[in-house]
Amino acid sequence: MCCLIFSVDMSHRQAADSVIGAVEASGRHYRDSLPMIASENILSPLVRRACNSDLHGRYAEGLPRRRYYQGCEDFDTIEEIGISSAKRVFNCNFANIQSTSGTNSNMGVLKALAKPGDTITAVSTADGGHISHARMGAVGLRGLNLITYPWDLGRMEPDIDAAAALIRESEPTIALFGQSVFLFPTPLAELSDAAHEVGARVMFDAAHVLGLVAGGQFQDPLHEGADVMTGSSHKTFPGPQGGFVLSDSDDEKFQRRLNSGIFPGVCSSYHLHHVAGKVVALSEFEAFGEEYASDTVSNAKALGEALASEGFDVLAEERGYTASHQVVTRHGEVDSGAGRDAAATLEQAGIITNMNMLPGDTKALAPSGLRLGTPELTRVGMGTDEMQDVARFFARSLLEGEDPKAVKHDVTEFKGDYRTVRYCFEPGPAYPGLD
Ligand SMILES: Cc1ncc(COP(=O)(O)O)c(C=O)c1O
């Protein structure tokens, strides 16, 4: 009887072992590949230490020194340091660092600033807007009436005059800007004026470009008219998965609304280990962020040029391909699925990307394009010269029909020189704990 009580069902143990095996295999896959998904990044050793800590299991609802739980004193110190650092990094008067993702930040702000039935204007998903800006996502969840901006396909940004007219006509409660396909700064000053004229709040979703904004390499939404800026802490901003809500308003009532949009609005536990990691990432960003952001954008521009010179159809040639961390390529006719096929071939060759809808595409699972990003390659030490090498690997795989296995062999050898994470206090293994 005793044996039965204490026996372990080995199939359960095998399942756990399989998971650990897959976790390590995934780490090796990324270590040996060229990870080029624009929304991804890697952690510095110090950020990893903060994340992999006892805070993982703790709770701290409320704000620093005003908690619903005991035991938070040390965490209060962490969150206070983080709020001060975030205000310095983003040069603003208000920061909430609790949200658990970019989507969660958006949900909190929509909860804070709008009520069901209100109107919101935003970029459509077809033009690069995010699902949280759509009826199927957070905007729909809040019961908002969505109107999307007319889009300037050539410039890959809202059509300024037509979007301003639409805002004046529709008088939204929130005018939301920002995209997932985000090559160029939004003409925010002009559009914010139109929004403020009709009493709308301007919300800027900087999920993708937050690290570039913080590093002074993109645009400065909070000083170009945005009343509130949301973002992810793990895309171009090189921290752990999480979010930010930021504002330059010094209106305490407005700040309280934003805080309560996050808690109790959309969070209870807010993943304290990730908040601690975010705060370490903010400190590292203060020391290294400007250089990192500048290198990330230079690499994206170099990648765009190198891919074009290899013969790829890179979008926005007339604007220099990109002003962000992203490059977008077209691989075939609209709705042909050529982007999906290219992503699959590249993965066999050791290059990790994502297929993406381009203007005109209507099928999310059969799009014609790829969206590429440079943050991770930059953080492991690649520069503009290496972007030529990367473009060559693309050409061998996609244009020259070489066996992807042969390309993968060379990619893995090439990547062997780029396994140390930089732009941080203690540069160390970018993909730790692997044999
Ligand atoms: C514009 C935009 N907003 C929000 C998000 C969601 O961010 P998260 O994945 O942190 O929820 C994304 C994700 O890619 C995005 O591109």
Side-chain angles (χ1 to χ4, degrees):
M1 193 63 194
C2 174
C3 292
L4 277 183
I5 290 170
F6 290 108
S7 78
V8 174
D9 182 329
M10 285 317 289
S11 68
H12 297 158
R13 175 61 205 237
Q14 276 161 9
D17 286 345
S18 302
V19 171
I20 297 300
V23 166
E24 290 175 355
S26 176
R28 280 191 288 272
H29 185 42
Y30 278 82
R31 179 195 64 191
D32 296 339
S33 304
L34 297 176
M36 297 184 68
I37 291 179
S39 52
E40 292 185 351
N41 216 315
I42 42 177
L43 300 184
S44 76
L46 270 190
V47 171
R48 219 173 253 280
R49 232 160 85 192
C51 291
N52 192 16
S53 66
D54 177 75
L55 283 171
H56 173 269
R58 306 297 162 199
Y59 263 75
E61 286 174 349
L63 291 166
R65 316 290 167 196
R66 282 184 282 147
R67 299 296 190 189
Y68 293 81
Y69 292 83
Q70 295 307 119
C72 298
E73 203 177 324
D74 296 312
F75 184 71
D76 284 347
T77 304
I78 294 169
E79 192 169 344
E80 281 171 345
I81 293 173
I83 291 169
S84 306
S85 308
K87 286 190 205 168
R88 279 196 306 276
V89 166
F90 294 99
N91 185 22
C92 64
N93 282 315
F94 169 85
N96 180 302
I97 62 169
Q98 299 183 344
S99 60
T100 55
S101 71
T103 300
N104 187 233
S105 309
N106 287 347
M107 290 166 70
V109 171
L110 296 180
K111 171 99 174 35
L113 302 185
K115 55 184 193 321
D118 284 355
T119 293
I120 186 167
T121 51
V123 177
S124 77
T125 48
D127 291 325
H130 187 247
I131 41 175
S132 61
H133 310 175
R135 284 190 195 92
M136 66 181 131
V139 158
L141 188 69
R142 190 66 181 130
L144 305 180
N145 168 36
L146 173 69
I147 303 178
T148 57
Y149 302 117
W151 194 250
D152 184 330
L153 280 178
R155 294 185 59 77
M156 302 278 286
E157 65 184 25
D159 177 319
I160 301 180
D161 292 340
L166 178 115
I167 290 168
R168 288 194 178 94
E169 191 187 311
S170 56
E171 300 188 353
T173 304
I174 297 177
L176 169 58
F177 300 99
Q179 303 108 244
S180 298
V181 177
F182 212 163
L183 295 174
F184 302 103
T186 301
L188 198 56
E190 297 89 330
L191 295 169
S192 297
D193 284 350
H196 288 145
E197 261 175 47
V198 295
R201 292 286 192 182
V202 175
M203 173 175 170
F204 187 89
D205 181 346
H208 256 271
V209 293
L210 197 71
L212 310 182
V213 169
Q217 305 299 319
F218 196 61
Q219 64 184 124
D220 186 4
L222 292 178
H223 304 99
E224 293 167 17
D227 298 297
V228 58
M229 176 164 75
T230 56
S232 306
S233 50
H234 51 270
K235 295 185 167 93
T236 51
F237 188 85
Q241 296 223 342
F244 287 102
V245 176
L246 303 149
S247 174
D248 200 34
S249 170
D250 52 14
D251 175 348
E252 285 181 12
K253 198 166 153 218
F254 184 66
Q255 296 182 351
R256 271 199 302 277
R257 276 167 75 187
L258 294 177
N259 275 332
S260 53
I262 298 299
F263 172 82
V266 294
C267 279
S268 168
S269 156
Y270 52 95
H271 308 182
L272 310 194
H273 56 314
H274 279 191
V275 172
K278 240 184 260 186
V279 177
V280 174
L282 281 162
S283 298
E284 295 193 320
F285 203 92
E286 289 198 82
F288 306 100
E290 190 176 333
E291 189 190 0
Y292 149 73
S294 163
D295 291 349
T296 299
V297 174
S298 306
N299 279 346
K301 287 180 198 270
L303 180 68
E305 279 162 25
L307 287 169
S309 69
E310 290 285 357
F312 286 99
D313 182 357
V314 185
L315 263 62
E317 180 185 2
E318 53 294 345
R319 295 193 75 183
Y321 305 114
T322 184
S324 75
H325 60 303
Q326 297 183 1
V327 170
V328 179
T329 49
R330 185 193 312 280
H331 296 267
E333 297 298 313
V334 159
D335 284 342
S336 61
R340 176 196 56 209
D341 299 344
T345 304
L346 287 171
E347 185 163 18
Q348 288 175 36
I351 303 173
I352 306 174
T353 63
N354 65 273
M355 61 181 175
N356 217 97
M357 288 171 74
L358 300 187
D361 277 328
T362 59
K363 297 181 185 165
L365 289 173
S368 58
L370 290 180
R371 186 188 65 178
L372 311 169
T374 54
E376 185 164 339
L377 300 188
T378 306
R379 290 253 291 158
V380 293
M382 292 190 200
T384 51
D385 287 349
E386 284 73 27
M387 294 304 109
Q388 310 278 343
D389 299 314
V390 171
R392 194 84 276 288
F393 290 129
F394 271 71
R396 285 170 59 189
S397 317
L398 295 177
L399 301 179
E400 295 165 12
E402 195 174 327
D403 178 359
K405 284 202 198 78
V407 182
K408 186 181 170 80
H409 173 271
D410 293 353
V411 163
T412 301
E413 196 175 283
F414 173 75
K415 183 70 184 305
D417 290 337
Y418 303 97
R419 289 186 178 180
T420 300
V421 61
R422 289 147 208 273
Y423 307 96
C424 56
F425 293 129
E426 295 176 7
Y431 311 92
L434 304 170
D435 50 37

